[in-house]
C-alpha cells in the first residue's frame, strides 16, 4: 500500500483518525495531523435543533411523504455526482 511511503497525513476529523487506526489503515503511532473542518460546530448544532422540517418542506413545495435525497460536495470529477444522481432516481 501507499502508507509506508508517507511520512504522515492530514485529515479533517478526530473521528476519521480513530477510524483509520481502528480499521487498521494506519498504525496507532502513525503521524496523523487533524485539522478540523472550518464550520463552527456549536452554531451548526443549534441550527439543527431548531430546524422545522415540515415548514421547510412546505416552503419548497415538497409533498408530505415524498422522498428527499441530497448530495453536498464540491463539484469535482472524483466526487462522482453523476453516479449519485443515477442511484438516487
Amino acid at each position: 500500500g501507499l502508507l509506508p511511503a508517507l511520512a504522515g497525513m492530514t485529515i479533517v476529523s478526530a473521528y476519521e483518525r480513530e477510524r483509520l487506526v481502528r480499521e487498521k489503515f494506519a498504525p496507532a503511532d502513525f503521524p496523523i495531523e487533524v485539522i478540523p473542518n472550518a464550520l463552527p460546530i456549536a452554531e451548526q448544532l443549534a441550527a439543527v435543533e431548531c430546524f422545522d422540517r415540515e415548514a421547510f418542506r412546505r416552503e419548497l413545495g415538497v409533498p408530505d411523504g415524498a422522498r428527499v435525497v441530497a448530495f453536498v460536495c464540491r463539484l469535482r470529477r472524483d466526487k462522482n455526482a453523476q453516479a449519485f444522481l443515477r442511484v438516487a432516481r
Side-chain angles (χ1 to χ4, degrees):
L2 183 62
L3 195 61
L6 299 176
M9 69 175 70
T10 303
I11 57 175
V12 298
S13 73
Y15 172 82
E16 186 64 15
R17 184 195 187 293
E18 292 167 10
R19 186 188 68 79
L20 290 172
V21 172
R22 180 180 62 250
E23 295 181 13
K24 303 200 183 331
F25 287 105
D29 62 346
F30 189 77
I32 300 175
E33 180 180 6
V34 176
I35 299 178
N37 202 342
L39 292 175
I41 297 301
E43 291 176 26
Q44 300 301 316
L45 290 175
V48 168
E49 289 173 359
C50 69
F51 180 70
D52 185 341
R53 179 178 178 265
E54 288 78 18
F56 187 70
R57 289 173 71 95
R58 280 193 306 274
E59 182 180 327
L60 294 176
V62 177
D64 290 341
R67 183 181 303 173
V68 176
V69 181
F71 183 77
V72 180
C73 74
R74 291 178 289 153
L75 292 177
R76 293 177 32 148
R77 182 170 287 131
D78 62 323
K79 298 293 184 178
N80 206 356
Q82 293 86 356
F84 170 78
L85 292 172
R86 283 192 305 274
V87 171
R89 290 186 181 164

